[in-house]
Amino acid sequence: MQSKPLGICLIIDCIGNDTDILRDTFTSLGYEVKHFLYLTVKDITNILRQVAQMPQHQDSDSFACILVSRGGSQSVFGVDQTHSGVPLDHIRRMFMADTCPSLSGKPKLFFIQSYVKSEGQLEDSSFLEVDGPSVKSADSKARQPGPYQDLIHREADFFWSLCKADVSLLEGPSSSPSLYLKCLSQKLWKERKHSLLELHTELNRLVYDWNSKVSAKERYYVWLQHTLRKNLFLSHK
């Protein structure tokens, strides 16, 4: 990736523990960081829609988004406690090639930390404890880059990393930053010669080691889905 900046990095932190380190990390990688704190569901939706329509994507080589929020099985709540939330699938659709053509063929990186109630939601069968990621590739319609955007599958070039943790980690007089996002930032700072997939595998190992030492309420569960068609390397500018 050669553009300056590499692209927009959108940070939405509805918990307030992780913005500083994430902003510093992605700024150092060459992204133009836009960060927002303590948003409602309506505000999250509006911000995502506005960012998806930004014209500067046309001159950028990628896009990154980090969401930190309380959430449900497949949604994020923002600061709304009684709302049904923003569906994660709806967020992803906003940036697909048919709805965001300026990012067609470009890596779209999502890192999501969701704090959920533990009743069944941390044990969802579609999520794996972090001894290994669940990786799915674009279906047979995905093709290599060509002269026409309609040859690129609408779901191609996504890197979707979702971490769930028990909402009780946020209770008490002071809550700590997300272990998942802390490890992510550390790896992005240090592992310049490794691809993003290799970096994520190492992140999984660190979280798995943590999970083996703590109670069930303190564990993190990571799920990865990607449709990247090329190895992706991020290094500091």
Side-chain angles (χ1 to χ4, degrees):
M1 296 190 294
Q2 304 294 327
S3 66
K4 295 182 180 181
L6 289 180
I8 299 295
C9 173
L10 173 64
I11 300 173
I12 297 176
D13 185 355
C14 298
I15 305 300
N17 291 334
D18 301 283
T19 295
D20 290 345
I21 188 173
L22 292 169
R23 182 186 61 231
D24 292 346
T25 298
F26 280 86
T27 297
S28 74
L29 293 172
Y31 282 92
E32 178 185 342
V33 175
K34 299 182 180 296
H35 57 91
F36 301 86
L37 289 170
Y38 310 122
L39 298 184
T40 64
V41 164
K42 181 179 179 181
D43 289 338
I44 291 173
T45 303
N46 288 338
I47 292 295
L48 286 166
R49 184 176 293 115
Q50 291 170 17
V51 171
Q53 296 173 355
M54 284 183 170
Q56 54 260 54
H57 293 312
Q58 193 68 45
D59 300 319
S60 301
D61 286 344
S62 66
F63 170 72
C65 179
I66 302 101
L67 297 173
V68 190
S69 176
R70 290 175 172 83
S73 176
Q74 294 294 329
S75 62
V76 291
F77 297 159
V79 295
D80 297 342
Q81 295 298 311
T82 58
H83 201 280
S84 59
V86 184
L88 295 178
D89 186 58
H90 179 62
I91 294 172
R92 178 154 43 180
R93 286 201 304 269
M94 289 185 190
F95 294 89
M96 288 182 180
D98 54 347
T99 51
C100 184
S102 59
L103 284 173
S104 177
K106 301 174 183 180
K108 294 163 280 286
L109 316 177
F110 288 81
F111 304 95
I112 302 169
Q113 174 65 74
S114 181
Y115 294 93
V116 304
K117 292 183 178 179
S118 60
E119 291 83 357
Q121 296 190 25
L122 288 176
E123 301 303 328
D124 188 316
S125 61
S126 65
F127 288 82
L128 299 178
E129 193 165 350
V130 293
D131 53 352
S134 172
V135 178
K136 301 179 182 179
S137 297
D139 64 24
S140 58
K141 295 180 182 178
R143 305 183 186 183
Q144 293 302 312
Y148 305 105
Q149 284 192 345
D150 59 0
L151 295 181
I152 299 175
H153 192 276
R154 64 193 294 265
E155 296 186 41
D157 303 302
F158 274 87
F159 188 93
W160 187 269
S161 176
L162 172 63
C163 178
K164 289 186 176 183
D166 197 286
V167 72
S168 63
L169 291 176
L170 302 178
E171 299 171 354
S174 62
S175 59
S176 300
S178 160
L179 175 76
Y180 159 74
L181 293 174
K182 178 181 178 181
C183 291
L184 173 67
S185 293
Q186 289 176 343
K187 288 298 171 184
L188 288 172
W189 273 107
K190 297 177 182 179
E191 305 292 344
R192 302 186 186 187
K193 296 182 179 180
H194 293 86
S195 71
L196 186 59
L197 279 174
E198 292 171 324
L199 180 152
H200 198 277
T201 299
E202 180 62 16
L203 181 154
N204 276 358
R205 186 190 66 79
L206 293 174
V207 179
Y208 179 79
D209 289 346
W210 167 268
N211 286 352
S212 67
K213 301 172 185 177
V214 299
S215 67
K217 290 278 189 180
E218 299 174 277
R219 293 175 181 170
Y220 291 78
Y221 299 83
V222 180
W223 179 64
L224 171 65
Q225 183 183 43
H226 88 88
T227 54
L228 296 178
R229 295 172 297 152
K230 295 183 178 180
N231 284 330
L232 183 64
F233 294 83
L234 298 172
S235 60
H236 298 284
K237 303 301 179 182

